[in-house]
Amino acid sequence: MAAAAAASRTFLLFHPKLLEASRIFSYFPRHRRNLPLLLRRSSSQSAAQPTLEAQARNLDSPSGIANVVDILQERGLVESITSESIRSACSNPIVSPLKVYCGFDPTAESLHLGNLLGLIVLSWFRRCGHKAVAVIGGATGCIGDPSGKSLERPELDVETLEKNSAGIKNIISKILRDENSVAGTGKEKALDVGSEKGSILETGVRENANLNPHSENNGNLNVRIEKNAALDSRLDDSFTILNNYDWWKDITLLDFLREVGRFARVGVMMAKESVKKRLMSEEGMSYTEFTYQLLQGYDFLYLFKNMGANVQIGGSDQWGNITAGTELIRKILQVEGAYGLTFPLLLKSDGTKFGKSEGGATWLSASMLSPYKFYQYFFSVPDIDVVRFLRILTFLSMEEIRELEDEMKKPSYAPNTAQRRLAEEVTRFVHGEDGLTEALKATETLRPGAETKLDWETIEGIAEDVPSCSLAYGQVLNSSLVDLSVSTGLLSSKSAARRLMKQGGLYLNNRRVDNEAKVIEAGDIVDEKILLLSAGKKNKMVIKIC
């Protein structure tokens, strides 16, 4: 009996990596089972402003009632659904809004472009009156999802998981809060998963409006709701951020095997596409990875039972993990009403992943990829992809997208007009209005021939995004522009510099130079601190004067 009792307190021994996480997410207090919800209302909110719900009803829906699945399907954002019943389930968000969740494993400190579709689909559900939940995989991140991977993911230590989870939480919270402002709601609300106090901050409630009646643990939550009944009406366009470590850390091996494991069939698990591909590879698959689908499946079961989350979304490579959850809900709770929806992976027209570049992943964090570079990445999308990306990555109406598509076919079309709109919309969604302003200012600053007056702070701000070097004042003053172009590495030879100059493609501080004898004068050095050289539209060199 003593051995059994000891075993019953063993935390998922079949996943030894989770043992190392016993102190993970120290900013998630262990005593706090009911995390607070942070609710802020902007002082500038006006009753006349349209809600997300009202805006969604005016999008692509002649009947005036927005069905989010129909909208997503028209825009190319539906790969598969577990049941056609999801269409009727989401048809009346005012009376019975769905609660939709998407998971994000903390494999890096920032989300990347591949994660963007998950946030966009969550936002579409919110715009159509439903509720969104983002789940950070603090527990599942210790294991690593094998879906779409040919090798087992590298093991992450506790400190890295903590850092990555905090970074991802901040990104999700910022994007979804800014999306509220863009949509004109004036409301912000996110689950505070970082408070050490466990108290309700400012005006906060524990969101509990859709708790499933099958839950056995609703008592404490109901007390909170009763105390905050006056705020219940404010929950309509909320989003919640959770970390699955909060419920996994107290689950024992024996409990998991008894309550979940006995409902899983090995044959079904092995038939999952992600498993079959790995089993056929030379690397094979570890038992740890094999059980990942049950971990994610249990997340859906837990959220369905305790928080009323009835839809899980994910990329098409998540189909097996999502259906593992719907099956567990059906078998264990013996109820229907849990749905899954997958969206296509973000690919270019040639079938390669969009978001991968020579410099690596296209990150959503401004500290890892500047808003300027992020903007430029979308501005460089080829014509063959731009219309499809406008459909799936922006919230522009289909009518406006079709108009842009028609304009592209006309002789009078100004090149890159559609790309500019795509870059603006996506940059605004990810980095907010301030980030877009920063990107546009940097773009104008770096545009050869621009009339914008340059200052050293503006150029210094973009120096990390373009090649740069440092030279002494005496090395620059009275130097030949041709020589300087070569010595800084902007051009390969003096003959190349002279040839480009004759073609009208060499610029000093955005001004075209066609005089081969041009030398750098004191007045050319911006604020006596910096120079900007350009070879054509794309190749730049920032010279810092030291």
Side-chain angles (χ1 to χ4, degrees):
M1 292 295 291
S8 69
R9 298 311 307 160
T10 302
F11 175 57
L12 291 181
L13 290 180
F14 64 99
H15 287 313
K17 294 179 186 177
L18 292 182
L19 285 173
E20 185 185 2
S22 59
R23 69 181 184 85
I24 195 170
F25 310 113
S26 57
Y27 50 84
F28 302 135
R30 288 180 173 273
H31 66 275
R32 179 157 49 96
R33 302 300 297 271
N34 299 326
L35 299 176
L37 194 66
L38 180 62
L39 174 62
R40 302 194 194 100
R41 181 177 292 274
S42 169
S43 59
S44 62
Q45 183 181 3
S46 168
Q49 290 177 323
T51 64
L52 289 174
E53 217 170 74
Q55 290 184 16
R57 287 199 192 94
N58 291 326
L59 294 175
D60 313 321
S61 179
S63 67
I65 300 176
N67 188 302
V68 64
V69 176
D70 293 340
I71 291 175
L72 294 174
Q73 191 157 37
E74 182 181 14
R75 302 181 79 95
L77 282 168
V78 175
E79 177 85 7
S80 303
I81 53 178
T82 55
S83 170
E84 283 292 327
S85 299
I86 190 175
R87 297 181 190 275
S88 57
C90 65
S91 62
N92 197 340
I94 299 176
V95 176
S96 54
L98 297 177
K99 188 176 288 186
V100 185
Y101 96 90
C102 186
F104 303 91
D105 272 355
T107 54
E109 191 175 353
S110 169
L111 298 178
H112 53 76
L113 204 53
N115 303 120
L116 182 59
L117 280 182
L119 293 172
I120 286 174
V121 174
L122 281 181
S123 293
W124 270 117
F125 273 94
R126 295 178 67 216
R127 285 173 175 247
C128 292
H130 304 284
K131 300 182 181 182
V133 179
V135 176
I136 299 173
T140 46
C142 299
I143 308 305
D145 185 1
S147 301
K149 299 296 178 182
S150 57
L151 297 173
E152 188 163 359
R153 292 177 185 267
E155 183 176 352
L156 300 178
D157 58 43
V158 172
E159 288 74 19
T160 301
L161 281 168
E162 287 181 337
K163 184 179 180 181
N164 291 354
S165 296
I168 290 174
K169 172 205 163 187
N170 290 337
I171 291 170
I172 295 172
S173 181
K174 178 184 182 302
I175 289 176
L176 294 183
R177 281 203 307 266
D178 285 350
E179 204 265 336
N180 271 352
S181 300
V182 169
T185 64
K187 289 197 286 185
E188 301 175 357
K189 186 165 54 174
L191 192 69
D192 174 40
V193 292
S195 170
E196 293 286 350
K197 297 181 179 180
S199 59
I200 294 179
L201 305 179
E202 297 186 49
T203 307
V205 299
R206 177 71 162 95
E207 185 176 0
N208 194 32
N210 281 335
L211 282 177
N212 192 286
H214 296 283
S215 173
E216 299 173 0
N217 302 308
N218 292 348
N220 293 336
L221 299 179
N222 287 332
V223 171
R224 290 191 177 221
I225 287 297
E226 289 171 4
K227 290 181 178 180
N228 296 280
L231 300 174
D232 194 47
S233 62
R234 297 184 184 181
L235 297 176
D236 286 341
D237 23 329
S238 66
F239 66 89
T240 306
I241 302 176
L242 302 172
N243 192 304
N244 66 6
Y245 183 76
D246 288 316
W247 55 84
W248 275 109
K249 70 179 185 291
D250 295 323
I251 297 177
T252 67
L253 169 63
L254 294 182
D255 287 343
F256 184 81
L257 292 177
R258 182 178 64 249
E259 297 178 12
V260 178
R262 67 190 180 94
F263 292 96
R265 292 295 173 262
V266 174
V268 175
M269 294 175 67
M270 293 184 67
K272 303 290 186 184
E273 195 63 30
S274 59
V275 174
K276 287 195 296 184
K277 287 183 178 179
R278 287 292 298 277
L279 290 178
M280 294 173 62
S281 68
E282 292 183 7
E283 179 71 17
M285 172 177 269
S286 69
Y287 178 72
T288 298
E289 289 184 296
F290 179 63
T291 56
Y292 183 94
Q293 59 183 283
L294 288 185
L295 303 185
Q296 186 169 323
Y298 179 77
D299 282 346
F300 197 0
L301 172 69
Y302 178 90
L303 292 168
F304 181 88
K305 180 181 179 183
N306 294 287
M307 296 195 65
N310 39 19
V311 179
Q312 182 183 176
I313 64 170
S316 57
D317 58 349
Q318 293 297 304
W319 179 255
N321 295 332
I322 291 174
T323 54
T326 56
E327 282 299 296
L328 286 178
I329 291 169
R330 185 178 61 82
K331 290 179 179 179
I332 295 175
L333 300 182
Q334 298 184 1
V335 295
E336 301 294 335
Y339 307 103
L341 181 149
T342 61
F343 42 82
L345 300 180
L346 194 55
L347 303 176
K348 293 184 285 188
S349 57
D350 60 7
T352 59
K353 282 188 176 181
F354 181 68
K356 297 290 185 180
S357 62
E358 293 180 0
T362 303
W363 302 107
L364 304 189
S365 169
S367 63
M368 297 177 70
L369 186 73
S370 71
Y372 164 73
K373 276 196 169 181
F374 186 86
Y375 176 94
Q376 290 298 318
Y377 189 82
F378 284 93
F379 189 78
S380 301
V381 166
D383 286 351
I384 194 172
D385 288 323
V386 68
V387 173
R388 181 166 56 90
F389 288 162
L390 281 167
R391 291 193 190 104
I392 65 178
L393 295 175
T394 78
F395 299 93
L396 296 178
S397 70
M398 292 297 291
E399 180 182 1
E400 186 170 355
I401 293 172
R402 284 189 286 267
E403 289 176 357
L404 281 169
E405 185 176 16
D406 291 340
E407 286 296 319
M408 292 177 69
K409 301 172 184 177
K410 298 178 180 179
S412 59
Y413 172 72
N416 294 323
T417 299
Q419 282 86 345
R420 182 176 295 106
R421 191 62 191 275
L422 172 68
E424 289 175 356
E425 293 298 319
V426 181
T427 303
R428 180 185 291 112
F429 179 73
V430 173
H431 293 292
E433 288 291 346
D434 290 343
L436 176 59
T437 300
E438 175 187 334
L440 292 175
K441 183 178 180 181
T443 298
E444 181 65 15
T445 298
L446 290 172
R447 183 173 64 86
E451 298 297 327
T452 305
K453 186 179 185 303
L454 296 179
D455 59 82
W456 78 270
E457 288 183 342
T458 300
I459 301 176
E460 179 73 20
I462 60 177
E464 293 183 0
D465 297 322
V466 298
S468 63
C469 65
S470 297
L471 294 175
Y473 188 85
Q475 292 178 281
V476 175
L477 189 65
N478 297 323
S479 294
S480 162
L481 177 60
V482 170
D483 292 342
L484 199 60
S485 300
V486 176
S487 64
T488 58
L490 177 66
L491 293 167
S492 59
S493 66
K494 293 182 181 180
S495 60
R498 293 190 183 100
R499 186 166 54 250
L500 184 64
M501 191 176 286
K502 289 179 180 179
Q503 295 170 351
L506 188 60
Y507 294 82
L508 171 63
N509 296 333
N510 288 337
R511 297 192 302 272
R512 181 182 288 122
V513 178
D514 51 18
N515 180 9
E516 294 183 17
K518 169 65 181 176
V519 296
I520 305 301
E521 303 173 17
D524 294 323
I525 303 175
V526 177
D527 297 334
E528 301 183 347
K529 295 181 178 181
I530 209 157
L531 281 174
L532 175 63
L533 306 185
S534 304
K537 293 183 177 180
K538 295 185 177 180
N539 297 320
K540 316 286 181 183
M541 177 61 66
V542 171
I543 302 175
K544 302 177 183 179
I545 310 302
C546 56

